[in-house]
């Protein structure tokens, strides 16, 4: 059940990304292109996700613990530090340049577009680099 | 190039993403943040406890497009740029930025906002803004 729930969550997440159009970088970039070929669809993706997750989380967290763990593993930080802002800013530039964020990029791998096969390894390198810098700075 | 406005399928797709996040929360008590799920199992500090669950979730993502093809009989619509240098830079930025800022569109944009996390709301506002500006420059200044 433990493994199955995670696998099903991954499948539903990926299917949601495909159905919503998030796996299409052109559609993502059109959402971000206010003054050009604007496609507001992605606002509906975020809206739909929050509409389900917000009440869902609220109900789930009335429980003492999740099914397969002793506690909820939730972020506890509330401060706005430089890393959060700089990281989000850099992420946004990359998202705008490629039209891909991590979930859709991985989901797109089996579609084997050349651009995806370049984007994903570069993304993994970027992630390792960020982990290295935080290791050095601590 | 224009893409079709798809409010209904986008809303339903979004609801599926939210539903998946709720499944992860009720079964494992964790956030469906894709950048976190990927980066946790990368060097230099591999989280061996989370490794199996992260890999299984990623396998689920990777099986989605083949499953879609089996059921729908068609490949998901996708137009990826053929500017490979640009996509390489985009990948580096997305990877580096999401790990530095502790989250991406899913972790901050969906889960964080749903938890009404101040950090996530600020992060989402920040990456939306820089993404808008990047596309503006890319399409209307450089490419215009």
């Amino acid at each position: 059940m433990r493994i199955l729930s995670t696998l099903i969550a991954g499948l539903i997440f990926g299917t949601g990304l495909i159905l919503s159009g998030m796996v299409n970088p052109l559609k993502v970039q059109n959402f971000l292109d206010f003054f050009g070929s604007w496609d507001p669809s992605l606002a509906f993706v975020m809206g739909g996700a929050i509409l389900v997750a917000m009440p869902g989380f609220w109900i789930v967290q009335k429980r003492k613990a999740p099914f397969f763990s002793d506690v909820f593993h939730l972020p506890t930080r509330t401060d706005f530090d430089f890393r959060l802002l700089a990281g989000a800013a850099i992420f946004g530039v990359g998202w705008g340049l490629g039209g891909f964020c991590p979930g859709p990029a991985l989901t797109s791998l089996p579609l084997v577009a050349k651009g995806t096969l370049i984007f994903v390894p570069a993304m993994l390198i970027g992630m390792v680099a960020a982990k290295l810098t935080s290791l050095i700075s601590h | 190039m224009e893409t079709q406005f798809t409010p209904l399928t986008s809303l339903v797709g979004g609801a599926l993403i939210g539903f998946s996040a709720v499944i992860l929360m009720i079964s494992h008590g964790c956030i469906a943040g894709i950048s976190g799920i990927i980066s946790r199992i990368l060097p230099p500090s591999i989280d061996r406890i989370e490794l199996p669950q992260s890999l299984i979730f990623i396998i689920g993502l990777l099986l989605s497009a083949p499953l879609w093809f089996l059921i729908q009989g068609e490949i998901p619509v996708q137009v990826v740029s053929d500017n490979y240098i640009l996509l390489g830079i985009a990948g580096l930025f997305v990877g580096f930025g999401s790990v530095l800022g502790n989250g991406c569109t899913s972790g901050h944009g969906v889960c964080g906002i749903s938890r009404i996390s101040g950090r996530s709301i600020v992060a989402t506002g920040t990456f939306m803004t820089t993404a808008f500006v990047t596309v503006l420059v890319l399409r209307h200044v450089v490419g215009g």
Side-chain angles (χ1 to χ4, degrees):
Chain A
M1 270 315 285
R2 216 185 127 83
I3 291 172
L4 198 66
S5 66
T6 308
L7 185 70
I8 288 172
L11 264 176
I12 293 177
F13 201 101
T15 305
L17 289 173
I18 295 170
L19 182 66
S20 65
M22 284 291 290
V23 291
N24 186 356
L26 182 67
K27 198 171 173 69
V28 173
Q29 286 179 318
N30 278 347
F31 171 68
L32 296 166
D33 192 2
F34 232 68
F35 303 106
S37 45
W38 193 48
D39 176 354
S41 303
L42 295 204
F44 288 76
V45 183
M46 210 168 190
I50 293 170
L51 226 55
V52 172
M54 195 182 270
F57 284 176
W58 188 73
I59 294 166
V60 167
Q61 282 170 25
K62 292 192 165 221
R63 296 174 54 91
K64 286 215 171 65
F67 294 146
F68 309 117
S69 184
D70 297 333
V71 284
F72 287 104
H73 310 276
L74 299 175
T76 49
R77 286 180 62 177
T78 52
D79 60 312
F80 305 111
D81 60 330
F82 173 74
R83 294 171 58 90
L84 178 78
L85 297 175
I90 294 168
F91 168 77
V93 173
W95 191 38
L97 284 179
F100 266 142
C101 51
L106 279 192
T107 306
S108 297
L109 272 179
L111 304 173
V112 294
K114 267 190 199 150
T116 313
L117 301 181
I118 289 166
F119 181 92
V120 172
M123 177 180 83
L124 299 180
I125 291 168
M127 286 178 166
V128 172
K131 288 184 82 168
L132 282 171
T133 57
S134 71
L135 210 66
I136 292 162
S137 65
H138 280 115
Chain B
M1 207 195 322
E2 301 257 343
T3 46
Q4 204 190 342
F5 177 46
T6 53
L8 192 64
T9 51
S10 287
L11 191 72
V12 176
L16 286 179
I17 294 167
F19 183 55
S20 163
V22 175
I23 294 177
L24 274 191
M25 183 66 78
I26 196 164
S27 50
H28 303 283
C30 60
I31 296 285
I34 308 303
S35 60
I37 287 171
I38 304 169
S39 69
R40 267 202 293 275
I41 60 173
L42 291 175
S45 51
I46 299 172
D47 186 338
R48 290 188 196 285
I49 297 164
E50 295 293 333
L51 185 69
Q53 292 296 330
S54 289
L55 281 179
I56 292 161
F57 187 87
I58 291 167
I59 290 169
L61 282 185
L62 293 175
L63 288 176
S64 303
L67 188 76
W68 178 276
F69 177 70
L70 282 178
I71 293 170
Q72 296 281 336
E74 55 187 33
I75 294 167
V77 180
Q78 192 183 44
V79 182
V80 187
S81 161
D82 53 7
N83 187 336
Y84 303 131
I85 295 168
L86 195 72
L87 277 171
I89 296 167
L92 285 173
F93 274 48
V94 163
F96 189 85
S98 60
V99 169
L100 190 71
N102 279 317
C104 55
T105 13
S106 51
H108 282 313
V110 173
C111 296
I113 288 184
S114 296
R115 294 172 49 246
I116 320 178
S117 149
R119 272 172 65 87
S120 289
I121 292 167
V122 168
T124 305
T126 305
F127 71 63
M128 283 285 181
T129 306
T130 56
F132 271 118
V133 172
T134 302
V135 171
L136 183 72
V137 172
L138 191 70
R139 285 191 173 175
H140 301 283
V141 179
V142 182

